[in-house]
Amino acid sequence: MTSSVKDLSLAPGGHRKIDWAARHSPVLNAVRDRYLKDGTFEGLTVGVSLPIEAKTAYLTVVLAEAGAEVALASPGPFFVQDDVAAALAERGVTVYASSDNPPEEADRELERVLDHGPDVIIDDRAALTRLLHTTRRHLLGKVRGASEETTSGVAKLRAMQDQGVLEIPTIAANDARCKYLFDNRYGTGQSTITAIMQNTNLMLGGKRLVVVGYGWCGKGIARYAAGLGARVTVCEVDPVRGLEAYADGFDVLPALEAAGFGEIFITATGGRHVLAREHFERMRNGAILANAGGVDVEIDVDALGELARKRYEARRNVEAFVMPDGRELHLVGRGMVVNLTAGDGHPVEIMDLTFAIQALCAHHLANRRQTEPGVHLLPREIDDRVAGIKLQTLGMGVDRLTPQQEEFLREWRE
Ligand SMILES: NC(=O)c1ccc[n+]([C@@H]2O[C@H](COP(=O)([O-])OP(=O)(O)OC[C@H]3O[C@@H](n4cnc5c(N)ncnc54)[C@H](O)[C@@H]3O)[C@@H](O)[C@H]2O)c1
């Protein structure tokens, strides 16, 4: 089927971006050459939902090179780089994506991907998997499995499993150690801070920065912000994570308290309305708000709009909300995943690891190595393999336990 993108003439810029990603993806390249070209993907269709930018594009190119027919759409128009979409269409990947499309169209584009009849799905926020179980149920039987990219998507899959409605095998790619330890922590940390700094052109040193949620993403954000001199406060609902933040050197306070003094607020929880009306009412004039979590409702943007007597574009990607008392709150990237809607996503080297994991998850499912419906982890040895390849590309390596050391660990008698 033919792609539907905004403007094919944008392709040259997209090719350059994809080539750059390819050059900086030694792990995915090694995985392609060592594992993916074994014929597994010949004649199979892979349906993909991922933000459309250079790194995700390169993953689809690699799958196509391995013999798969690949169809791709984005979870929404704010995650689409049109030049990359155009370049992909030229490289033989079927793409349904344009930054001009209204957000309500996103599900239609994802359904077009499902209409290719995928054997394997690579998913983001479980978008394709949810549609497969609702509007495209007749295609369920063909799908060998889905691999899920995000923490939020894995949560949705577990909810489906708990309710007994998940009918296909899924792999929580997000929960592979080579994914969350690097992508969620260092990737989100660096790219979220970069996006906020680039779009606001403000300084971070000395600022009171509030991170809501101290999971893997929150830890990375706090670490990068502190490294650039921000004074970081963490808000949590989990007391152990709160204590961890304290031990890492940060203040820990309820969000309502932090709302009164914070200058920059970043949410990374995967939850709903963690910053809401009562927080906005307390915030200082000029406060910057951004969301790095995987759902678009972490910051209650509707409430912000209702409170405001006026809103205007303060800078590209920064919207000002003028409160009745004259205070202005500044929202970066529409309250959506800021490092994607107002940035270039994670660093290439990070996505190289993530997509090596995703490619091997797809390979695992395509080979029917996991056939039980439910949410599964990627086998540990595959995770280890990816880390081993990465260390090799860095000219580094780790030791192996000797048989005597293994025996010592297995034995309980003195
Ligand atoms: N921006 C990106 O590129 C990117 C990358 C990876 C993951 N994500 C998304 O970021 C979100 C967080 O991912 P993670 O891997 O850090 O998850 P996680 O489960 O490790 O951490 C989430 C943390 O938020 C806390 N939390 C939940 N509700 C809260 C609330 N109301 N107030 C304060 N704290 C609260 C939880 O206790 C937990 O510690 C997810 O939605 C995930 O999909 C985004």
Side-chain angles (χ1 to χ4, degrees):
M1 284 184 244
T2 28
S3 294
S4 138
V5 299
K6 180 172 170 177
D7 181 357
L8 275 174
S9 74
L10 298 172
H15 286 303
R16 278 196 296 275
K17 288 182 180 174
I18 297 172
D19 290 343
W20 181 262
R23 200 172 302 134
H24 294 279
S25 297
V27 184
L28 182 55
N29 291 337
V31 162
R32 174 196 58 200
D33 297 341
R34 287 186 210 173
Y35 304 105
L36 304 186
K37 288 189 166 170
D38 61 356
T40 297
F41 286 108
E42 294 295 340
L44 295 191
T45 299
V46 181
V48 184
S49 161
L50 282 174
I52 295 175
E53 48 80 51
K55 284 93 69 180
T56 51
Y58 188 54
L59 169 67
T60 62
V61 167
V62 164
L63 291 169
E65 283 172 359
E69 185 208 322
V70 185
L72 166 71
S74 159
F78 305 117
F79 309 116
V80 179
Q81 294 188 12
D82 291 306
D83 51 354
V84 173
L88 271 184
E90 284 192 356
R91 290 192 190 202
V93 170
T94 308
V95 193
Y96 302 116
S98 162
S99 63
D100 279 349
N101 287 352
E104 318 74 79
E105 276 299 302
D107 277 1
R108 301 294 80 73
E109 289 170 346
L110 293 167
E111 282 169 348
R112 288 175 84 180
V113 166
L114 288 176
D115 289 338
H116 284 247
D119 301 277
V120 175
I121 287 172
I122 294 180
D123 214 353
D124 185 287
R125 304 176 218 190
L128 286 171
T129 307
R130 285 189 270 172
L131 288 169
L132 182 69
H133 285 74
T134 51
T135 63
R136 290 296 184 276
R137 289 193 59 77
H138 62 285
L139 297 167
L140 264 166
K142 182 161 186 265
V143 177
R144 299 181 189 189
S147 173
E148 171 56 44
E149 171 81 2
T150 66
T151 314
S152 293
V154 171
K156 296 291 174 211
L157 293 178
R158 294 219 160 96
M160 289 174 77
Q161 174 172 256
D162 292 347
Q163 290 170 27
V165 297
L166 184 59
E167 297 182 38
I168 57 167
T170 65
I171 298 181
N174 177 74
D175 295 0
R177 289 164 303 147
C178 273
K179 202 290 188 171
Y180 67 82
L181 287 175
F182 307 99
D183 176 313
N184 299 27
R185 182 167 43 173
Y186 299 105
T188 311
Q190 178 175 323
S191 58
T192 297
I193 296 298
T194 307
I196 294 170
M197 289 171 71
Q198 257 174 6
N199 284 293
T200 60
N201 196 220
L202 293 175
M203 186 178 160
L204 215 58
K207 288 257 169 23
R208 303 290 311 248
L209 185 141
V210 179
V211 180
V212 190
Y214 202 66
W216 292 106
C217 293
K219 283 177 218 222
I221 294 166
R223 182 189 164 114
Y224 275 87
L228 289 165
R231 293 179 290 161
V232 176
T233 298
V234 167
C235 308
E236 251 296 341
V237 289
D238 176 340
V240 176
R241 289 247 163 117
L243 192 55
E244 202 185 351
Y246 164 76
D248 287 343
F250 306 122
D251 288 335
V252 182
L253 285 171
L256 261 185
E257 226 168 294
F261 62 76
E263 293 165 278
I264 302 176
F265 295 84
I266 306 173
T267 53
T269 69
R272 182 171 185 269
H273 295 178
V274 300
L275 288 182
R277 177 179 287 263
E278 61 271 28
H279 305 98
F280 307 141
E281 283 170 346
R282 290 187 175 203
M283 284 180 185
R284 291 166 51 147
N285 183 28
I288 305 281
L289 283 78
N291 169 47
V295 291
D296 304 337
V297 291
E298 296 213 17
I299 299 175
D300 187 352
V301 180
D302 290 341
L304 198 53
E306 282 159 23
L307 278 175
R309 68 172 158 77
K310 189 179 145 202
R311 47 203 280 188
Y312 67 95
E313 188 181 9
R315 280 174 64 89
R316 187 164 175 264
N317 290 324
V318 182
E319 189 172 10
F321 291 78
V322 186
M323 300 291 126
D325 59 8
R327 284 175 306 130
E328 284 195 13
L329 305 184
H330 296 142
L331 180 69
V332 188
R334 302 164 185 265
M336 297 178 173
V337 191
V338 68
N339 51 335
L340 285 166
T341 50
D344 227 3
H346 289 357
V348 187
E349 293 99 323
I350 295 275
M351 295 318 287
D352 183 27
L353 279 178
T354 295
F355 288 153
I357 289 285
Q358 280 288 19
L360 288 169
C361 285
H363 188 256
H364 195 70
L365 290 165
N367 277 316
R368 301 187 202 272
R369 299 236 170 82
Q370 181 54 262
T371 52
E372 195 68 29
V375 184
H376 305 277
L377 289 180
L378 186 68
R380 189 184 169 100
E381 61 272 17
I382 299 184
D383 218 349
D384 287 349
R385 202 186 289 162
V386 170
I389 297 173
K390 177 69 185 177
L391 284 171
Q392 248 173 24
T393 68
L394 296 167
M396 298 183 189
V398 293
D399 290 314
R400 273 175 188 276
L401 288 173
T402 63
Q404 293 78 6
Q405 287 169 331
E406 281 186 12
E407 173 64 22
F408 174 79
L409 293 173
R410 268 199 306 271
E411 187 52 73
W412 61 273
R413 291 180 209 89
E414 283 297 320

